[in-house]
């Protein structure tokens, strides 16, 4: 290795980071458990009160440092469980000040809980500078063919969706085949938010395919509505009109037709208002909000008298 090369610089930075982490573990008061000789148990202090917020406790002992400085050190050098706890706090507070530190944490941590917490935080504060990391997670999922835990992948898909990263559409399409239903479901949902005509045509083909997963079809229907696919109107109408169709598919078809807003859909949505399926009636009332006209206003007003409370609530909101 030639001194001064990028590889050498990274090696030096890595070594320095490890030394800093070791010093942090040894010197940060109250952050880590005291190391005792083998066989010796810690002696509890009388009247000791557990500290609910470790960061606040450390800050109290180091008044020359701000809370954010302490938090940044925790992100850089803290143990995984404390980092995850801090990320949860930052997400709840929606404090964007430590965005750069969290992105740096993503590049260093191998802990999936830390990675998930970091992506959830970045999503909450709308920091979209980690799209390359999220894309890599999705690509690795496809290439390695993993079928196990999908929580981190779902979080990564949601981050990609929030970032409006349309470049990820090809990999999202592949993730529709993931054996983890949560991952596949989230991929379809994301395509509905990021896609265009090409993706709408592909989803419509899946909806018509008898061999396509029946568990994913409801979300495919919703995504077609989000994409406002007029080409899907005949198929969605057929689903809504078919009383033998899956109840969830009929309800979602009604919602999708409302979002597409094709006037040709209005009669079939109106007919759904007289369905014995109370939930379908509530979906129909909400779908009517996408259509103008005094006739629609009258139908919504009639919904205020429906015997099912959800229909009345939806009518009032509409």
């Amino acid at each position: 290795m030639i001194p001064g090369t990028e590889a050498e610089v990274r090696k030096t930075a890595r070594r320095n980071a490890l030394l800093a982490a070791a010093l942090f573990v040894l010197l940060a008061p109250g952050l880590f458990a005291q190391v005792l000789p083998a066989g010796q148990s810690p002696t509890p202090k009388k009247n000791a009160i557990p500290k609910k917020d470790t960061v606040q406790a450390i800050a109290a002992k180091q008044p020359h440092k701000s809370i954010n400085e302490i938090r940044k050190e925790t992100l850089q050098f803290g143990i995984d469980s404390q980092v995850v706890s801090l990320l949860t706090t930052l997400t709840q507070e929606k404090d964007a000040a430590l965005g750069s530190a969290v992105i740096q944490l993503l590049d260093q941590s191998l802990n999936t809980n830390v990675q998930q917490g970091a992506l959830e935080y970045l999503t909450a504060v709308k920091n979209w500078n980690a799209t390359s990391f999220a894309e890599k997670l999705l690509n690795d999922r496809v290439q390695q063919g993993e079928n196990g835990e999908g929580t981190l992948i779902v979080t990564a898909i949601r981050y990609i969706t929030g970032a409006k990263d349309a470049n990820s559409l090809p990999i999202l399409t592949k993730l529709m085949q993931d054996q983890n239903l949560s991952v596949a479901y989230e991929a379809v949902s994301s395509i509905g938010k990021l896609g265009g005509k090409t993706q709408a045509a592909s989803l419509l083909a899946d909806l018509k395919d008898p061999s396509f997963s029946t568990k994913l079809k409801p979300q495919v229907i919703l995504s077609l509505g989000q994409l406002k696919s007029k080409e899907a109107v005949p198929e969605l109408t057929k689903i809504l009109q078919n009383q033998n169709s899956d109840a969830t598919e009929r309800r979602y078809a009604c919602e999708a037709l409302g979002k597409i807003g094709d006037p040709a859909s209005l009669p079939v949505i109106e007919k759904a208002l007289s369905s014995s399926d109370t939930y379908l009636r509530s979906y129909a009332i909400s779908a009517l909000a996408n259509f103008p006209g005094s006739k629609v206003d009258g139908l919504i007003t009639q919904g205020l008298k429906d015997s099912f409370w959800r229909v009345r609530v939806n009518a009032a909101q509409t």
Side-chain angles (χ1 to χ4, degrees), residues 35 72 99 103 130 170 196 204 232 240 267 272 285 313:
V35 178
K72 188 173 182 179
I103 290 175
L204 180 56
L240 177 54
I285 280 289
V313 169

Coordinates of all heavy atoms in Angstrom, one line a residue, residues 35 72 99 103 130 170 196 204 232 240 267 272 285 313:
V35 N -16.4 -1.6 34.5 CA -15.8 -2.9 34.3 C -15.2 -3.4 35.6 O -14.3 -2.7 36.2 CB -14.6 -2.9 33.2 CG1 -14.0 -4.2 33.1 CG2 -15.2 -2.4 31.9
K72 N -24.0 13.7 19.6 CA -23.1 13.4 18.4 C -22.1 12.4 18.8 O -21.8 11.4 18.1 CB -22.5 14.6 17.9 CG -21.7 14.4 16.6 CD -21.2 15.7 16.0 CE -20.5 15.5 14.7 NZ -20.0 16.8 14.1
G99 N -28.5 15.3 11.3 CA -28.6 14.6 10.1 C -27.3 14.1 9.5 O -27.2 12.9 9.1
I103 N -26.1 10.1 9.0 CA -25.7 9.6 7.7 C -24.3 8.9 7.8 O -24.0 7.9 7.3 CB -25.7 10.7 6.6 CG1 -27.1 11.1 6.3 CG2 -25.0 10.2 5.3 CD1 -27.3 12.2 5.4
A130 N -29.3 10.0 2.0 CA -28.9 8.6 2.2 C -29.5 7.6 1.2 O -29.6 6.4 1.4 CB -29.1 8.1 3.6
P170 N -37.0 0.1 -11.0 CA -36.7 -1.3 -11.5 C -36.4 -2.3 -10.3 O -36.9 -3.4 -10.4 CB -35.4 -1.1 -12.3 CG -35.5 0.4 -12.7 CD -36.1 1.1 -11.6
G196 N -45.1 5.6 -13.2 CA -45.8 6.3 -14.3 C -46.6 5.3 -15.2 O -47.0 4.2 -14.7
L204 N -51.3 -3.5 -14.1 CA -52.6 -3.9 -14.7 C -52.5 -5.3 -15.2 O -53.4 -6.1 -15.0 CB -53.0 -2.9 -15.8 CG -54.4 -3.2 -16.5 CD1 -55.5 -3.3 -15.4 CD2 -54.7 -2.2 -17.5
A232 N -56.9 1.2 -16.6 CA -57.3 0.2 -15.6 C -58.8 0.3 -15.2 O -59.3 -0.6 -14.6 CB -56.5 0.3 -14.3
L240 N -65.4 -4.3 -9.2 CA -66.4 -3.7 -8.3 C -67.8 -4.3 -8.5 O -68.6 -4.5 -7.6 CB -66.4 -2.2 -8.5 CG -67.4 -1.4 -7.7 CD1 -67.3 -1.6 -6.2 CD2 -67.2 0.1 -8.0
P267 N -71.5 5.9 -12.4 CA -72.7 5.0 -12.2 C -72.4 3.8 -11.3 O -73.3 3.4 -10.5 CB -73.1 4.6 -13.6 CG -72.6 5.7 -14.5 CD -71.3 6.1 -13.8
A272 N -72.8 1.2 -5.9 CA -72.2 0.6 -4.7 C -72.8 1.1 -3.4 O -72.7 0.5 -2.3 CB -70.7 0.8 -4.7
I285 N -68.9 6.4 -0.8 CA -69.1 7.8 -0.4 C -67.8 8.6 -0.5 O -67.8 9.7 -1.0 CB -69.7 7.8 1.1 CG1 -71.2 7.5 1.1 CG2 -69.4 9.2 1.7 CD1 -72.0 8.6 0.5
V313 N -69.9 9.2 8.8 CA -68.6 9.9 9.0 C -68.0 10.3 7.7 O -67.5 11.4 7.5 CB -67.7 9.1 9.9 CG1 -66.3 9.7 10.0 CG2 -68.2 9.0 11.3

